[in-house]
Amino acid sequence: MKKLLALLLTATMVVSLAACGSKETEDAASTADTEETADAAEETEDADSQETEPAESGDATYTVGICQLMQHEALDAATQGFKDALTEALGDAVIFDEQNAQGDSNTCSTIINSFVSSNVDLILANATPALQAAAAGTNEIPILGTSVTEYGVALEIEGFSGTVGGNISGTSDLAPLDGQADMIQELFPDAKTIGLLYCSAEANSQYQVDTVKEFLEEKGYTCEYYAFSDSNDLSSVATTAAGEVDVIYVPTDNTAASNTELINNICLPAGIPVVAGEEGICAGCGVATLSISYYDLGVATGKMAAKILAEGADISEMPIEYAPNFVKKYNAANCEALGVTVPDDYEPIAAE
């Protein structure tokens, strides 16, 4: 009996010890699992934290879309001045997407739409049709115009006060039109009839000839309009003008600027001098002009762009800027061929 009791007691102790061992093992395993899970969760949290933490930001970069109406000396100079000034201000932080519309206003619209789709930071519109396309294409992206004569006329703003507002500003290439009328009187005091040769499709050209006409008529001249719709009828219109007037005035006009050789080949043999609205046209077919520097105009526009992009300037409050200096210049070859003598304060246009 004593032996039986001893065996039973021993068995009970063994079972009890086994149970305790099992529980300790389970507790240890549970603790290990918990610690492992916690560690894994902590690692995951750290990883997530590393993924969502923003990267250290570097210097800002800007993409500027340039829409130039056509390849021409004056427009090319304005674009180069703009790029040089903006690069000087921002260095490698600015990227240019430069496109040329080859004289087609519809292509200007296509180019502008591509800039809008790409969400560029700023648009340079070089010449009036480019500005008009940009204004129609976006009212959010800042637009700077250059080589634009009169913004109120180009954008059909009644009572234009010098500031466009909204997302548009820029620089104007308008030389004093009364000064150009004075130049015609200074060089050709005995002339009777002045022909105004311009492209009727360019609103700014119409504005210039209308204004110059008023100044010239005040001086006693008779003025006649000779409007061509595009380069296709320029030859016939210029030929008619050269046969009917004493002097021809050509305003700052993009179509005329791209066809100066044609105009020169008509007017020079006919003995008719041309006074031009800008230096590029004068170099190609004129005798004299009241000139601005289109490169300097582009530089001024580039400085405006730097203020907008890097300094946060409000474009809606930026007034249109104008060329600060105007210089009387003459085409020496044409003056000699036509027997035109210019005063000493005229500078020769540099030969290319």
Side-chain angles (χ1 to χ4, degrees):
M1 190 67 172
K2 289 180 180 180
K3 290 181 179 180
L4 180 59
L5 288 172
L7 289 172
L8 289 174
L9 182 59
T10 299
T12 301
M13 291 176 64
V14 170
V15 171
S16 176
L17 288 172
C20 288
S22 175
K23 186 175 186 312
E24 288 175 2
T25 302
E26 289 177 2
D27 290 343
S30 176
T31 301
D33 290 343
T34 301
E35 291 177 352
E36 185 176 345
T37 301
D39 290 342
E42 186 175 351
E43 290 176 1
T44 301
E45 184 177 349
D46 290 343
D48 290 341
S49 176
Q50 291 175 358
E51 288 176 2
T52 57
E53 184 179 351
E56 185 177 348
S57 60
D59 294 335
T61 58
Y62 308 96
T63 299
V64 174
I66 299 176
C67 178
Q68 181 174 317
L69 175 62
M70 64 177 66
Q71 186 173 0
H72 177 262
E73 181 181 351
L75 303 186
D76 292 347
T79 292
Q80 191 61 53
F82 174 82
K83 291 167 62 179
D84 288 350
L86 196 50
T87 299
E88 181 178 353
L90 302 180
D92 294 337
V94 61
I95 300 170
F96 297 105
D97 183 355
E98 184 177 349
Q99 299 190 41
N100 193 301
Q102 304 300 326
D104 188 347
S105 58
N106 291 326
T107 303
C108 285
S109 297
T110 301
I111 292 171
I112 294 299
N113 289 337
S114 72
F115 291 160
V116 174
S117 297
S118 300
N119 195 30
V120 298
D121 297 293
L122 184 141
I123 294 172
L124 174 70
N126 191 346
T128 298
L131 176 68
Q132 292 169 331
T138 177
N139 59 7
E140 295 180 356
I141 298 174
I143 300 168
L144 288 175
T146 193
S147 312
V148 175
T149 305
E150 173 56 48
Y151 283 74
V153 173
L155 300 175
E156 299 181 347
I157 301 172
E158 296 261 345
F160 180 61
S161 61
T163 301
V164 176
N167 64 322
I168 299 175
S169 187
T171 57
S172 168
D173 63 358
L174 180 64
L177 297 174
D178 56 344
Q180 295 181 18
D182 291 341
M183 177 177 285
I184 291 173
Q185 185 179 45
E186 181 177 47
L187 296 176
F188 308 104
D190 297 329
K192 302 298 182 184
T193 304
I194 312 298
L196 307 174
L197 182 66
Y198 68 102
C199 180
S200 58
E202 298 187 31
N204 278 317
S205 296
Q206 186 72 61
Y207 167 80
Q208 291 174 81
V209 295
D210 287 345
T211 306
V212 166
K213 180 174 181 288
E214 292 180 6
F215 289 128
L216 289 172
E217 288 179 342
E218 289 176 359
K219 297 177 183 298
Y221 292 103
T222 297
C223 296
E224 298 291 343
Y225 289 118
Y226 293 91
F228 53 91
S229 58
D230 53 36
S231 58
N232 293 323
D233 62 342
L234 172 56
S235 179
S236 61
V237 173
T239 299
T240 300
E244 297 178 348
V245 303
D246 302 309
V247 177
I248 287 177
Y249 170 74
V250 177
T252 301
D253 182 290
N254 292 305
T255 308
S258 61
N259 290 277
T260 56
E261 183 178 0
L262 184 154
I263 297 172
N264 195 57
N265 288 341
I266 293 170
C267 295
L268 194 63
I272 303 299
V274 174
V275 173
E278 58 93 8
E279 183 175 336
I281 295 175
C282 186
C285 65
V287 294
T289 184
L290 190 58
S291 178
I292 68 169
S293 166
Y294 275 83
Y295 179 85
D296 290 345
L297 195 69
V299 168
T301 317
K303 290 179 178 179
M304 295 175 74
K307 291 178 181 178
I308 295 167
L309 295 174
E311 301 176 20
D314 185 352
I315 191 172
S316 68
E317 298 179 357
M318 300 175 76
I320 300 303
E321 296 186 13
Y322 294 82
N325 300 309
F326 304 95
V327 181
K328 293 179 178 180
K329 290 194 172 185
Y330 70 100
N331 181 327
N334 278 12
C335 284
E336 182 178 358
L338 295 171
V340 176
T341 302
V342 298
D344 292 339
D345 60 341
Y346 282 66
E347 296 181 5
I349 296 174
E352 294 184 4

